[in-house]
Amino acid sequence: MNIAYGIVAGLLALFYFYAGTLKVIRSRDRLRPMMAWVDRMPLPAVRALGAVEILGAAGLVLPPLTGIALWSAAAAAIGFVLLQAGAIAVHLTGEDRRVTLNVVLTATAAVTVLLATGL
């Protein structure tokens, strides 16, 4: 079970760390080709979302590695499920109807919750 969690959570953390870093450091013009929704959000909100993604990625990986506050790994995964539910809503209310990646990320985060809690 720990190996399965490590693989799934590690991949999810890599994705969110990368995506979060892009949101924090790139300009709106450089984000637009990948993320059409950035024009509908204030740039500080996009930056804050990126910071949340980076912190959540750390929350998936660091607790199991350090053995400290193991419950926070499950909390980070639950946060990513909620984040993706909001992302799907943002996509569906705008002109962008491509939510396949968001659905996959939601499912992966849900599996990570199950693996983190041992259910």
Side-chain angles (χ1 to χ4, degrees), residues 1-10 59-61 64 73-74 77 111-113 115-116:
M1 184 91 92
N2 290 337
I3 294 171
Y5 175 83
I7 292 169
V8 175
L60 287 176
V61 177
V111 168
T112 305
V113 170
L115 291 171

Side-chain angles (χ1 to χ4, degrees), residues 2-97:
N2 290 337
I3 294 171
Y5 175 83
I7 292 169
V8 175
L11 291 172
L12 198 60
L14 281 174
F15 176 84
Y16 279 112
F17 184 79
Y18 175 72
T21 301
L22 291 181
K23 289 177 184 106
V24 168
I25 64 173
R26 283 196 173 175
S27 68
R28 186 183 303 271
D29 292 333
R30 291 193 59 207
L31 288 173
R32 191 176 296 116
M34 294 180 291
M35 305 168 197
W37 54 269
V38 296
D39 287 331
R40 295 183 298 152
M41 298 282 214
L43 192 57
V46 175
R47 301 270 190 247
L49 178 61
V52 166
E53 290 176 347
I54 292 168
L55 292 172
L60 287 176
V61 177
L62 292 180
L65 288 178
T66 62
I68 300 170
L70 294 174
W71 58 268
S72 62
I78 291 168
F80 283 134
V81 170
L82 297 174
L83 182 136
Q84 286 305 318
I88 290 170
V90 167
H91 282 279
L92 293 178
T93 58
E95 297 174 8
D96 184 13
R97 300 279 191 240

